Amino acid sequence: MEWDSTRRTFLKQAAGVAATQLFPAAPLLIGAETSRSNPGWYGRPMRWAQLAFVEDDPGNYDLGFWLDYFQKIHADAACLSAGGSVAFYPTEIPLHYRSRWLGNMDAFGDILNGCRKLGMNVVARTDAHAARQDVYDAHPDWIAVDEKGNKKRHPSDPDFWITCALGPYNFDFMTRVHQEIMTKYSPDGIFTNRWAGSGMCYCEHCQQNFLAFAGLSLPRTLNPQDPSRRQYVVWHQQRLFELWRLWNEKIQAINPNASYLANAGGGALSELDMKTIGELAPTLFADRQARSGLMPPWANGKNGKEYRATLGTKAIAGIFSVGLEEKYRWKDSVQSGDEIRLWVADGMAQDLRPWFVKFNAKPIDRRWLPVVEEIYQWHYANQGYLRNEKSFARVAMVYSQQTASFYGGEDARAKVEDPALGFYQALVEARIPFEMVHDHLLDPEHIDRFKTLILPNIAALSTQQCDQIRAYVAQGGSIVATYETSLYDQWGVRRNDFGLASLFGASFTGKEEGPLLNSYLTLEKDPASGQFPPLLAGFDDATRIINGTHCVTVTPLGAGAYSPLLLVPPYPDLPMEEVFTQPAKTREPGVLLREIGRSRVVYFPADIDRTFWEVLDVDHAKLLRNAVLWATNEPAPVTVEGKGVLDTSVWGQKNSMTVHLVNLTNPMMMKGPLREVIPLPNQEVSILIPEGRRVSAVRLLVAGGSPHYRKDGASIRLTVPSIGVHEVIALDLS
Ligand SMILES: [Zn+2]
């Protein structure tokens, strides 16, 4: 319904533009429906295609081939190169460089029209980061300047200069480019690559604007406690959001149904505040194209969760590359087919809609084409089960950009991201479905649907954020926190005590230790029951396990309280004759457990999660899993038993629910690319059915067929006989 009215407005506007700029009306879209939470066209596209032109594509590539391919794979939206560093249409803006191959053609207009005939939404792509010598000569002040005052040459191509993102190049020149593209073609949006700058810029505009904002010179340090640096972090974001709003306003003045769609967003280490992004963006594209270096395949799903934390149910596409994404930048390479399949499957399991990107419209190596075709055709055939409305996850992990900026600073990857990655890996191994939550959205609307919040060294929290967490616990929520969580305020300034001391049941003594060598935790039975508590389930033969490598020293608020783990401080590891414990153990707790009404609180004073990411010790995996299970203390929405490593998610659609199982089990799990898929046998699955709903049919969307299932109380149980890359158990509900 909404789509129809949108489309009418859109065609009415199109009728108002000059005849040469008219495009053929898109045919009526079959099965087009707009999610209620996505007014406009933004929720409609399920599968995206991006063809990023290179300069010699116009006249040299086969347009018909691509349009046939888009149709064959049921792509319903396209992102197409229009302008910026190279214009692929007959631009009239001075200094907007036209492709030398363009002649009197209109490469962008032709492919846009072809896609529209297929009923696709089209977003125009621009690139704002590089300019040629003529731009430099006409407007030297548009070029970015380094710390030493030198204009920045492009590191990859010395014929180009790097532009300043925060000055007139973007605010004036690129605004005119975006207005011209909207006026001529009225695309559904404009997506800009590399619009947010290339590191610090010390140009005259940045100097003046920052001085006006902060009364200070631009910082020359990355230390977040430097007053100028702190103000810069704030100003830089403010300036980019100003640009985003400006472009959006100028675009909507021409086509109210279009938006500026920034290439922005990410997790704790990303620059722009995700809460603001979630408010500004009607849809967004998670641009993590493939694995590089050491990286598990769940990194793609993690990206989806981080975006979803602030975008809610707005559509999010996951941009994936068909090539290798290593630092050597092999842009014409083709990735192993199974690697593409696994990466995309993990994104789909976390609600990312697939978006492939291909640079150069004249493909050299075509091996990826049938792989993407197979993925997209499966996606199209099953899209009713992929239009998710609700996650059933009951556990969520908090991420905090302010902790990364103001506490982590230059070491944010090690101090902030690694604890999160460790906890993430532990939850995947435990097969616990979970979401992520942004620390600026700790209000009841965003967190009350979760039973347990995980705070993996979320060090920098304001008093208000601590109050929100306390209110959440007062309402029956549970938390699992580690290390320096809440020990700093939102600016990264250390407090005398944890902001959450009353919840942890412990105070900070002022002493921090680390890196700790050869330190342990002794396992203690509960004196009341004579048994190990649930936190230590599965440790029956153990008497001690390894500690983390950094810890804060704490004093329990309740004297004499039982802690199931007691600290064994470091003792000599050499010479070997000296490797014995003095003393055997202390009374210092290695964990604090509390029950407050229905809530449970687990606090580890050590960096167990970060150490787990570094060492991957099985005892830490068990400890983190047990902590979350004990804190959550309710039947899980889904349990999956069997061998292997699976990324698990549970989703609700209008009249169905799905359980995604992504098989990560592979010798190449921690580093791609995959050589082959190792199928997982016999997974025993139990799915909790939402109250008041009845299961009318169960299907396996990848293997096909309807497996036998049986009722078991409020759940159903079934066996999935074999999982290749991905299986989706779909339950029709009545
Ligand atoms: Zn600048």
Side-chain angles (χ1 to χ4, degrees):
M1 294 294 282
E2 283 165 352
W3 171 254
D4 276 345
S5 61
T6 302
R7 192 174 162 273
R8 268 198 298 276
T9 326
F10 181 66
L11 291 177
K12 221 186 292 170
Q13 277 191 332
V17 295
T20 48
Q21 294 159 12
L22 267 182
F23 47 85
L28 272 177
L29 293 151
I30 297 155
E33 51 177 302
T34 310
S35 157
R36 262 166 294 168
S37 55
N38 281 300
W41 65 269
Y42 307 102
R44 191 191 76 97
M46 290 297 280
R47 288 160 299 279
W48 285 79
Q50 181 183 349
L51 204 50
F53 284 149
V54 293
E55 194 186 340
D56 76 342
D57 278 336
N60 291 323
Y61 85 104
D62 184 348
L63 173 61
F65 165 80
W66 286 108
L67 294 176
D68 285 349
Y69 187 71
F70 293 168
Q71 187 166 29
K72 196 155 64 169
I73 65 175
H74 303 280
D76 45 16
C79 178
L80 305 168
S81 300
S85 65
V86 177
F88 293 100
Y89 68 95
T91 177
E92 284 146 38
I93 295 174
L95 298 172
H96 192 203
Y97 173 87
R98 284 192 202 192
S99 155
R100 278 173 289 161
W101 281 265
L102 193 64
N104 51 13
M105 290 182 291
D106 182 354
F108 170 67
D110 290 345
I111 190 167
L112 168 114
N113 288 336
C115 288
R116 283 205 167 126
K117 281 185 195 159
L118 297 175
M120 298 168 77
N121 289 104
V122 176
V123 163
R125 174 186 184 271
T126 59
D127 188 303
H129 87 287
R132 287 176 172 71
Q133 189 63 42
D134 57 340
V135 174
Y136 179 107
D137 294 339
H139 297 280
D141 60 309
W142 289 4
I143 307 302
V145 171
D146 70 15
E147 206 172 2
K148 292 182 186 135
N150 301 315
K151 303 238 186 264
K152 289 189 188 178
R153 273 198 190 274
H154 199 288
S156 303
D157 188 336
D159 288 345
F160 283 84
W161 296 93
I162 294 288
T163 55
C164 166
L166 307 176
Y169 177 80
N170 266 349
F171 278 84
D172 300 342
F173 174 75
M174 284 305 296
T175 303
R176 278 183 280 131
V177 169
H178 291 164
Q179 286 174 308
E180 183 181 62
I181 293 168
M182 284 318 288
T183 306
K184 279 179 181 278
Y185 304 97
S186 204
D188 295 309
I190 291 182
F191 171 80
T192 313
N193 190 49
R194 295 184 183 253
W195 65 287
S198 314
M200 286 279 300
C201 174
Y202 294 86
C203 77
E204 54 187 281
H205 301 290
C206 288
Q207 288 188 36
Q208 283 160 16
N209 289 332
F210 183 68
L211 185 69
F213 172 83
L216 295 166
S217 304
L218 286 162
R220 289 173 187 268
T221 167
L222 293 172
N223 177 4
Q225 295 314 311
D226 175 79
S228 168
R229 176 73 201 166
R230 183 192 280 188
Q231 289 300 310
Y232 178 82
V233 171
V234 176
W235 171 77
H236 176 239
Q237 292 196 50
Q238 187 178 304
R239 192 85 182 130
L240 287 172
F241 282 128
E242 217 174 287
L243 181 63
W244 184 325
R245 290 189 177 98
L246 171 75
W247 284 346
N248 197 48
E249 194 181 291
K250 298 296 181 190
I251 286 168
Q252 294 193 338
I254 300 164
N255 175 3
N257 303 310
S259 288
Y260 177 62
L261 303 164
N263 188 357
L269 303 183
S270 67
E271 284 186 329
L272 282 178
D273 175 46
M274 280 298 283
K275 177 172 179 278
T276 311
I277 289 179
E279 290 158 4
L280 280 178
T283 181
L284 209 61
F285 316 124
D287 190 3
R288 188 193 278 269
Q289 301 188 4
R291 291 203 268 180
S292 63
L294 285 171
M295 186 183 286
W298 52 245
N300 198 23
K302 173 172 177 281
N303 215 24
K305 293 182 196 190
E306 287 159 346
Y307 277 65
R308 185 157 71 243
T310 68
L311 274 109
T313 53
K314 291 174 189 172
I316 305 165
I319 303 179
F320 67 94
S321 166
V322 301
L324 293 152
E325 278 298 311
E326 298 287 355
K327 62 182 173 186
Y328 305 102
R329 313 270 304 157
W330 290 295
K331 301 310 287 178
D332 284 324
S333 62
V334 170
Q335 180 71 279
S336 108
D338 284 333
E339 179 69 22
I340 296 175
R341 289 184 187 94
L342 179 60
W343 187 251
V344 179
D346 199 78
M348 292 190 301
Q350 301 303 342
D351 203 33
L352 288 179
R353 300 180 183 186
W355 164 320
F356 80 78
V357 53
K358 180 70 193 85
F359 288 86
N360 190 344
K362 309 170 296 304
I364 298 163
D365 183 341
R366 298 180 165 236
R367 285 175 294 173
W368 63 274
L369 288 159
V371 177
V372 169
E373 187 178 322
E374 167 206 307
I375 295 168
Y376 275 43
Q377 286 179 349
W378 175 86
H379 195 274
Y380 174 70
N382 295 289
Q383 65 179 354
Y385 291 110
L386 297 165
R387 207 171 257 287
N388 298 320
E389 294 190 349
K390 170 184 190 210
S391 159
F392 285 103
R394 294 283 289 156
V395 171
M397 183 156 85
V398 176
Y399 73 102
S400 170
Q401 291 172 283
Q402 76 191 21
T403 297
S405 291
F406 299 118
Y407 157 86
E410 277 182 277
D411 302 322
R413 189 166 293 279
K415 290 171 72 177
V416 181
E417 187 64 359
D418 283 356
L421 294 174
F423 227 128
Y424 203 110
Q425 170 70 19
L427 292 168
V428 169
E429 287 189 35
R431 300 172 166 198
I432 295 172
F434 68 101
E435 290 290 309
M436 292 186 75
V437 162
H438 192 269
D439 70 335
H440 288 180
L441 293 171
L442 296 173
D443 52 284
E445 193 197 331
H446 288 90
I447 60 174
D448 273 7
R449 62 197 178 96
F450 302 114
K451 173 62 182 152
T452 300
L453 280 191
I454 295 166
L455 300 154
N457 195 29
I458 304 298
L461 288 169
S462 68
T463 307
Q464 190 213 351
Q465 288 171 312
C466 292
D467 287 344
Q468 289 178 313
I469 294 167
R470 270 189 291 271
Y472 169 75
V473 172
Q475 293 299 312
S478 295
I479 60 168
V480 180
T482 63
Y483 191 39
E484 294 191 293
T485 293
S486 80
L487 192 54
Y488 295 75
D489 72 10
Q490 68 271 34
W491 296 108
V493 176
R494 202 170 90 179
R495 297 188 166 100
N496 292 328
D497 199 356
F498 304 107
L500 296 174
S502 63
L503 284 188
F504 296 167
S507 267
F508 177 52
T509 62
K511 202 169 113 199
E512 297 183 62
E513 290 179 293
L516 300 170
L517 274 66
N518 204 32
S519 167
Y520 299 84
L521 297 166
T522 300
L523 281 61
E524 299 285 314
K525 287 182 174 158
D526 185 343
S529 66
Q531 305 286 318
F532 281 129
L535 182 77
L536 301 182
F539 286 107
D540 293 350
D541 298 332
T543 52
R544 55 154 61 173
I545 61 175
I546 64 169
N547 192 9
T549 63
H550 294 75
C551 74
V552 289
T553 311
V554 299
T555 312
L557 297 178
Y562 157 66
S563 172
L565 295 170
L566 293 178
L567 184 72
V568 181
Y571 51 92
D573 58 302
L574 273 176
M576 298 313 291
E577 293 76 7
E578 297 303 314
V579 183
F580 59 94
T581 328
Q582 296 173 317
K585 65 189 178 204
T586 62
R587 296 310 300 170
E588 282 180 41
V591 67
L592 288 120
L593 303 179
R594 298 188 67 218
E595 294 188 60
I596 310 163
R598 287 181 295 127
S599 307
R600 292 177 168 185
V601 176
V602 184
Y603 170 64
F604 292 103
D607 61 344
I608 301 292
D609 39 12
R610 196 215 61 79
T611 305
F612 180 56
W613 188 239
E614 184 179 350
V615 179
L616 290 172
D617 180 46
V618 286
D619 290 337
H620 286 172
K622 270 185 215 170
L623 198 58
L624 294 172
R625 178 198 63 195
N626 289 351
V628 174
L629 292 179
W630 181 77
T632 307
N633 189 32
E634 64 175 26
V638 61
T639 61
V640 189
E641 283 161 38
K643 285 191 184 301
V645 187
L646 286 170
D647 195 3
T648 312
S649 60
V650 205
W651 291 98
Q653 303 82 34
K654 196 156 285 167
N655 290 306
S656 56
M657 69 184 284
T658 50
V659 173
H660 286 252
L661 304 171
V662 183
N663 175 12
L664 311 182
T665 317
N666 203 283
M668 310 312 289
M669 176 177 164
M670 286 300 183
K671 183 177 182 345
L674 250 56
R675 271 62 171 152
E676 59 176 340
V677 175
I678 315 290
L680 268 191
N682 295 326
Q683 301 294 316
E684 303 292 330
V685 183
S686 173
I687 306 166
L688 197 61
I689 307 305
E691 226 171 288
R693 305 301 292 267
R694 208 176 57 81
V695 177
S696 58
V698 178
R699 294 201 286 146
L700 299 180
L701 300 184
V702 177
S706 301
H708 172 75
Y709 68 94
R710 62 180 195 281
K711 279 193 194 155
D712 180 9
S715 300
I716 65 157
R717 296 186 73 91
L718 67 142
T719 304
V720 178
S722 180
I723 304 172
V725 171
H726 185 199
E727 187 53 271
V728 182
I729 307 166
L731 279 57
D732 290 332
L733 301 176
S734 55

